[in-house]
Amino acid sequence: MKVIVIGAHSSVGEFVVSKLMENGYTSCAVVGDENQIDLLKKRGATEVVLYEERILPTLFHGYDAAIYLTGINPKAKTGRTVMVDHESVIETVKEAEKQGVKRFVMMSAIMANEAAGDDSREIGAKEMPDELLRQSNLTYTIVQPGAFTDKPGNGKISAGETLDSNELEISHEDIAEVLVMSLENEAAFNKTFEVAEGDTVITKALSSL
């Protein structure tokens, strides 16, 4: 399977690229800065592309799946803001669908289903990307992680439609593992779920969704 990673330069994205290589996938890392190219190649990307808006109409040609890492900050608490660039997500989903991608895994945020209670663009529209992806013809998975930590991953999580605690956390490495393991785990197909650190091995947690 050939996988394109949008936002590969992020802390989670670097782990995603490494784990794709470890699991035998061919990957294309899409980055926003030329200085990030060498790093992503060292992390195992088969190809690295510098993103420019003009390449979007052909960006997904030849790829079977996409992993989209949104620009989110679950710890930003101003009105519990989730900083999702919703217009970028929507454009990307539409192009992926148009260009023949079958599988789309998106990292969203645990508060993405929160009812809009703020007039800011981010708050008012933050549920839009998730909903648009659900309405597309893509086989989707929407992963809503807790706040990120720099702890080493231990390969164990909690996952479910909703998780109880308001203080959920997960390491960059473990959320990356969840995104990659979701690609071919049919139990995660067309599902939206929350994920945080826990006691269940990732593959088993995904299979129980």
Side-chain angles (χ1 to χ4, degrees):
M1 180 183 287
K2 297 178 69 175
V3 184
I4 188 164
V5 184
I6 311 294
H9 55 280
S10 65
S11 298
V12 175
E14 293 177 16
F15 280 112
V16 167
V17 168
S18 297
K19 291 182 181 296
L20 285 171
M21 180 191 67
E22 292 166 6
N23 286 278
Y25 292 101
T26 298
S27 70
C28 175
V30 181
V31 300
D33 190 318
E34 193 171 354
N35 294 328
Q36 298 156 341
I37 292 176
D38 287 344
L39 172 62
L40 271 299
K41 286 181 177 176
K42 289 177 183 174
R43 296 299 294 253
T46 310
E47 182 181 2
V48 183
V49 172
L50 181 64
Y51 181 78
E52 298 177 72
E53 190 172 356
R54 63 182 177 83
I55 69 173
L56 190 57
T58 58
L59 184 61
F60 296 98
H61 284 175
Y63 287 93
D64 308 295
I67 295 178
Y68 190 100
L69 308 168
T70 55
I72 62 172
N73 180 4
K75 285 189 171 179
K77 297 292 186 179
T78 306
R80 298 180 68 81
T81 303
V82 180
M83 301 296 291
V84 177
D85 184 348
H86 62 281
E87 291 183 356
S88 174
V89 176
I90 290 169
E91 290 173 3
T92 304
V93 168
K94 287 180 177 176
E95 285 295 339
E97 189 174 11
K98 189 188 303 181
Q99 293 172 43
V101 168
K102 302 299 183 189
R103 189 78 182 91
F104 199 103
V105 177
M106 184 169 78
M107 185 178 72
S108 182
I110 236 169
M111 284 81 78
N113 293 328
E114 199 175 75
D118 186 288
D119 292 331
S120 72
R121 167 180 160 179
E122 291 81 9
I123 290 288
K126 66 186 180 183
E127 76 286 359
M128 288 174 58
D130 291 13
E131 186 56 32
L132 182 120
L133 180 53
R134 282 191 283 265
Q135 291 178 1
S136 74
N137 291 321
L138 296 165
T139 301
Y140 70 85
T141 297
I142 300 170
V143 183
Q144 301 176 331
F148 298 133
T149 74
D150 292 324
K151 297 176 186 175
N154 66 2
K156 294 182 178 180
I157 59 167
S158 295
E161 186 174 346
T162 57
L163 298 177
D164 290 336
S165 173
N166 291 323
E167 301 296 331
L168 300 170
E169 295 184 339
I170 188 168
S171 72
H172 294 110
E173 184 174 3
D174 280 342
I175 183 62
E177 181 86 4
V178 169
L179 296 167
V180 172
M181 291 295 102
S182 293
L183 283 170
E184 296 190 77
N185 190 322
E186 293 186 9
F189 287 8
N190 298 322
K191 296 279 180 65
T192 301
F193 58 90
E194 297 181 351
V195 64
E197 61 186 18
D199 299 320
T200 306
V201 174
I202 289 173
T203 51
K204 185 176 180 180
L206 294 178
S207 295
S208 65
L209 289 169

